[in-house]
């Protein structure tokens, strides 16, 4: 029994807190981008085009932060579902924003992806990166 406990290496709280801050910042950037680019229908009004462009830049930054957090969670040894939940906003929202930049589909996909990222944060905080060696 003591050998089993010795084979578990603890990864501390500072790394978990920095990782969760990265995930929260990706969520915040994506929410700002979604709010900035929210309009119904596309018309060629210059204000809407500029808002959509700036919102897409926020979504791109949020996707990059989400992918970085997913890679970091994989390297820390979190369960695979935590890594998948953290990567979901980048894949779903960022992918839809790249394919259809003027669509409200990215707002609909955000209803699924953002709570998944929050579930990933909770799972990562509970797990804290314990890893068998």
């Amino acid at each position: 029994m003591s050998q089993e406990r010795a084979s578990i290496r603890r990864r501390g709280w500072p790394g978990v807190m920095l990782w969760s801050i990265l995930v929260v910042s990706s969520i915040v950037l994506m929410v700002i981008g979604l709010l900035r680019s929210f309009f119904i229908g596309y018309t060629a009004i210059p204000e809407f085009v500029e808002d959509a462009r700036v919102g897409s830049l926020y979504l791109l930054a949020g996707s990059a932060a989400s992918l970085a957090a997913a890679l970091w969670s994989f390297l820390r040894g979190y369960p695979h579902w935590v890594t998948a939940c953290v990567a979901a906003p980048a894949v779903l929202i960022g992918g839809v924003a790249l394919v259809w930049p003027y669509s409200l589909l990215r707002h609909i996909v955000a209803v699924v992806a953002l709570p998944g990222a929050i579930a990933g944060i909770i799972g990562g905080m509970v797990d804290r990166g314990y890893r068998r060696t």
Side-chain angles (χ1 to χ4, degrees), residues 11-120:
R11 305 259 175 141
W13 279 105
V16 173
M17 297 308 285
L18 290 174
W19 172 79
S20 62
I21 288 170
L22 182 62
V23 177
V24 168
S25 66
S26 74
I27 292 172
V28 167
L29 284 170
M30 287 198 173
V31 166
I32 290 171
L34 289 170
L35 290 175
R36 185 76 190 244
S37 63
F38 184 76
F39 56 91
I40 297 175
Y42 175 72
T43 56
I45 299 173
E47 293 86 22
F48 288 163
V49 173
E50 181 65 21
D51 284 345
R53 187 187 68 78
V54 171
S56 294
L57 290 176
Y58 276 109
L59 289 175
L60 181 63
S63 296
S66 179
L67 286 177
L71 178 67
W72 194 3
S73 70
F74 178 75
L75 293 176
R76 284 186 60 87
Y78 288 129
H80 295 299
W81 70 269
V82 171
T83 304
C85 285
V86 170
V91 173
L92 295 176
I93 300 171
V96 169
L98 286 175
V99 176
W100 295 292
Y102 301 114
S103 172
L104 287 178
L105 184 60
R106 57 187 168 185
H107 294 83
I108 296 169
V109 171
V111 172
V112 174
L114 295 180
I118 293 170

